[in-house]
Amino acid sequence: MKHFFNRREDIVTDALDGLLLTSGPGRLARLDTFPEIKVILRADWDHSKVAIISGGGAGHEPSHAGFVGKGMLTAAVSGEIFASPSVDAVLTAIRTVTGPRGALLIVKNYTGDRLNFGLAAERARAEGFDVEMVIVADDIAIPDIIQPRGVAGTLFVHKIAGYYAEIGTDLKTVAARAASAATDTVSLGMSLSTCSVPGQLHEDRLGANEGELGLGIHGEPGVERIALQPVADIVAAMTGRLAAKVDDSRSHALLINNLGAVPPLEMGLIANTVLSCPLARRVKLIVGPAPMMTALNMNGFSLSLIPLDDAREVALKAPVDPHAWVPAVEHRGINVIAGPQSGAVADKTAAASDDGHSRRLITALCEHLISLESELNRLDGRLGDGDTGSTVATGARSVLARIDTLPLKEPAATLASIGDILSMSMGGSSGVLLSIFFTAAAKAMADKADIAAALLAGLDRMTFYGGAGIGDRTMVDALAPALAALTSGNLAAAAKAAVAGAESTKSMKKAKAGRASYVGEEDLKGVPDPGAVAVAGAFEVAAAIAATAMA
């Protein structure tokens, strides 16, 4: 897999310096021990409070350095990618930030972290520092394991410990609060791919239709592989296991963590699914969805739960400086505000009516356009953003869903209604252009009952506003010749002209409208415009229906 980096040896230090350069003045600093010892700390630290220190291998960004700041960590110690920092690095951090009130080390339950942080703590105690350590083992993926891993639930412990340290609580109390949070927190992850380490050969152990439940944040294999399935089923499996580990009588905070490569669109879908499942009734606070403890570019997410009491709720909701911490919000329903009715709906004059021929034609056209969804997306994927088929199919499905409300006995009113439907349901410029086309055609049809002339009037308005003409490699290349041929009343000729027009776009070297206008000549070569293909298909269906009716 491809990655952005200069030298593999410098990835971590370069990334940490990038964090420092973008963190704002006076917030963060690093020790001059770079690159061997990588410690990021609060620039404003005055040693008057309990210091909170955490860390581990890099590759989990923004953890851990991204959570250094007022209200959370005092310092973060970083190792190389997925490698624990050395004992000397941890000891250096302790010596740097620990004042008379002592320091708390928060450590994820991995052997390297436990040993290196543990030995550093013992050495620091021998030097006279007051140091406590809390180990987080929140992963419930592997049943009955003696030492569960520490994963994203560690962030709850960071936040709670950081809050109590910030308000001036003593080390014993801070450690007790952190230990209690660590004991009560549970987490579970799911991914569709393993992560890829920059500079190393990557082999994904998962098949094209496989996912992995309960894998670790260093890419360790999960507890089981599962078949790719709707996210509702995945979430149901995960929340069912989490629910079995929590107290049903208590409310909880939920952390929805992106493991690195899930697009925000899909994380929103995941959040909606989680908060619509039975577990959601136990959720009072929500943190995320956001990348907070990642596994490089793992295409997965994790869910973490911690039971709440008044003290924990206050601690989790308290504001902090680190931008990586997503403020906890109350779990509430969706606030829906009624939108204004469009003029066409509010002033609707044409009542629904039925006409067999119109119904058959519209149904056949819509069903055909829906059937083209994958092919049009494939074509558009070579020219633009790959959504033409989905956009057209969405409009067609909307028309089909409302066909019983259309005034099918009145052609002009039907054209106007279709224009309204497309303006509301289809996204992007194509939806607007087709709405203009049908709306203008409706007006012309109302003035004179000539469908060919009306559709030409619609084309005139569409090209006026859209700016595209014949030869510009758009749907106009199929639509314009088809409508010109339709003036003779011959649908077969119109369909033939539309197909020829769509075919002609294959040889056009430059698109002058739409996203395809940004694509080079070599990429356009031999690929028809998907909008023109859709138009040609629609005319072929219309011609076939007309021929059947005449037979």
Side-chain angles (χ1 to χ4, degrees):
M1 297 182 70
K2 298 176 182 177
H3 297 271
F4 293 103
F5 63 98
N6 298 309
R7 295 195 321 146
R8 186 177 184 278
E9 296 81 3
D10 300 331
I11 291 173
V12 178
T13 49
D14 285 350
L16 290 173
D17 277 350
L19 170 67
L20 294 168
L21 289 168
T22 56
S23 65
R27 291 188 62 248
L28 301 178
R30 64 169 165 87
L31 297 184
D32 61 2
T33 53
F34 256 37
E36 290 80 11
I37 291 176
K38 295 177 273 292
V39 177
I40 304 298
L41 67 157
R42 286 177 58 175
D44 62 348
W45 186 242
D46 63 5
H47 297 79
S48 65
K49 299 172 182 177
V50 172
I52 308 297
I53 303 170
S54 189
H60 306 301
E61 288 69 27
S63 293
H64 301 82
F67 295 102
V68 173
K70 184 177 180 180
M72 288 194 75
L73 301 182
T74 311
V77 193
S78 177
E80 297 301 326
I81 294 176
F82 296 164
S84 178
S86 67
V87 174
D88 286 341
V90 179
L91 185 55
T92 298
I94 295 171
R95 290 168 176 163
T96 302
V97 300
T98 305
R101 306 203 69 179
L104 173 67
L105 308 184
I106 300 175
V107 181
K108 298 188 299 303
N109 195 23
Y110 293 95
T111 301
D113 288 346
R114 287 181 67 133
L115 294 178
N116 290 358
F117 276 81
L119 180 52
E122 292 304 314
R123 288 184 177 177
R125 291 188 187 108
E127 294 178 12
F129 293 102
D130 192 3
V131 179
E132 297 288 342
M133 189 164 95
V134 168
I135 298 172
V136 186
D138 54 312
D139 188 9
I140 65 163
I142 305 173
D144 304 319
I145 190 171
I146 297 174
Q147 292 190 354
R149 299 171 292 207
V151 288
T154 307
L155 297 170
F156 283 141
V157 185
H158 287 171
K159 183 67 174 67
I160 290 168
Y163 169 77
Y164 281 103
E166 191 64 42
I167 64 174
T169 311
D170 63 89
L171 177 59
K172 182 179 179 180
T173 303
V174 173
R177 295 284 189 178
S180 174
T183 299
D184 290 349
T185 300
V186 293
S187 299
L188 185 61
M190 165 71 198
S191 185
L192 303 181
S193 72
T194 57
C195 56
S196 168
V197 179
Q200 292 186 12
L201 182 66
H202 174 69
E203 291 186 14
D204 198 331
R205 60 179 172 265
L206 299 177
N209 295 309
E210 283 186 321
E212 201 162 42
L213 185 63
L215 74 177
I217 57 173
H218 304 98
E220 310 97 308
V223 66
E224 63 182 278
R225 294 188 187 183
I226 61 175
L228 194 60
Q229 53 194 287
V231 71
D233 296 330
I234 293 170
V235 166
M238 294 176 68
T239 55
R241 299 188 189 199
L242 288 166
K245 297 288 186 178
V246 299
D247 185 347
D248 190 43
S249 66
R250 298 179 66 179
S251 59
H252 293 72
L254 166 70
L255 188 152
I256 307 174
N257 175 55
N258 187 340
L259 283 165
V262 183
L265 177 72
E266 293 176 34
M267 286 306 300
L269 182 152
I270 289 165
N272 177 62
T273 306
V274 173
L275 295 170
S276 301
C277 75
L279 181 68
R281 63 183 176 81
R282 308 182 196 181
V283 174
K284 184 176 182 182
L285 293 181
I286 306 161
V287 179
M292 301 184 77
M293 186 172 287
T294 63
L296 290 171
N297 57 354
M298 187 180 288
N299 185 19
F301 68 98
S302 64
L303 304 174
S304 301
L305 287 169
I306 184 172
L308 293 173
D309 54 27
D310 290 343
R312 279 183 185 167
E313 187 171 345
V314 169
L316 290 173
K317 291 169 72 173
V320 296
D321 271 0
H323 302 312
W325 175 258
V326 179
V329 297
E330 297 274 352
H331 178 203
R332 302 182 185 277
I334 296 174
N335 188 18
V336 178
I337 298 174
Q341 288 188 316
S342 68
V345 174
D347 301 329
K348 189 175 180 180
T349 55
S353 58
D354 201 10
D355 177 81
H357 176 71
S358 296
R359 179 180 288 271
R360 284 191 299 275
L361 176 61
I362 293 172
T363 299
L365 289 173
C366 289
E367 289 178 346
H368 182 70
L369 292 174
I370 292 168
S371 74
L372 292 177
E373 182 173 2
S374 295
E375 175 61 13
L376 297 180
N377 280 342
R378 185 188 70 80
L379 293 174
D380 192 39
R382 298 183 61 183
L383 307 175
D385 52 4
D387 68 348
T388 292
S390 297
T391 301
V392 170
T394 296
R397 290 188 185 100
S398 296
V399 172
L400 274 182
R402 295 169 174 82
I403 195 166
D404 289 334
T405 70
L406 296 179
L408 296 177
K409 288 184 177 179
E410 302 177 50
T414 297
L415 290 171
S417 296
I418 291 174
D420 288 341
I421 292 169
L422 297 183
S423 72
M424 291 185 289
S425 65
M426 284 183 70
S429 58
S430 57
V432 178
L433 288 169
L434 287 173
S435 181
I436 290 171
F437 173 74
F438 282 104
T439 301
K443 183 179 184 305
M445 190 71 178
D447 294 336
K448 183 181 179 182
D450 182 336
I451 186 64
L455 294 178
L456 280 171
L459 175 65
D460 176 71
R461 292 293 83 194
M462 185 177 77
T463 55
F464 173 79
Y465 290 111
I470 294 176
D472 288 345
R473 215 179 197 282
T474 70
M475 71 173 85
V476 174
D477 289 298
L479 187 58
L483 294 182
L486 188 62
T487 57
S488 67
N490 190 333
L491 257 175
K496 184 177 180 179
V499 171
E503 185 70 15
S504 72
T505 62
K506 288 183 178 180
S507 60
M508 295 179 185
K509 297 181 178 180
K510 180 65 179 174
K512 298 179 183 177
R515 286 186 173 89
S517 61
Y518 308 124
V519 177
E521 181 178 332
E522 283 302 311
D523 292 318
L524 292 173
K525 188 176 181 180
V527 182
D529 176 74
V533 171
V535 168
F539 271 93
E540 285 184 304
V541 169
I545 289 177
T548 300
M550 293 175 63

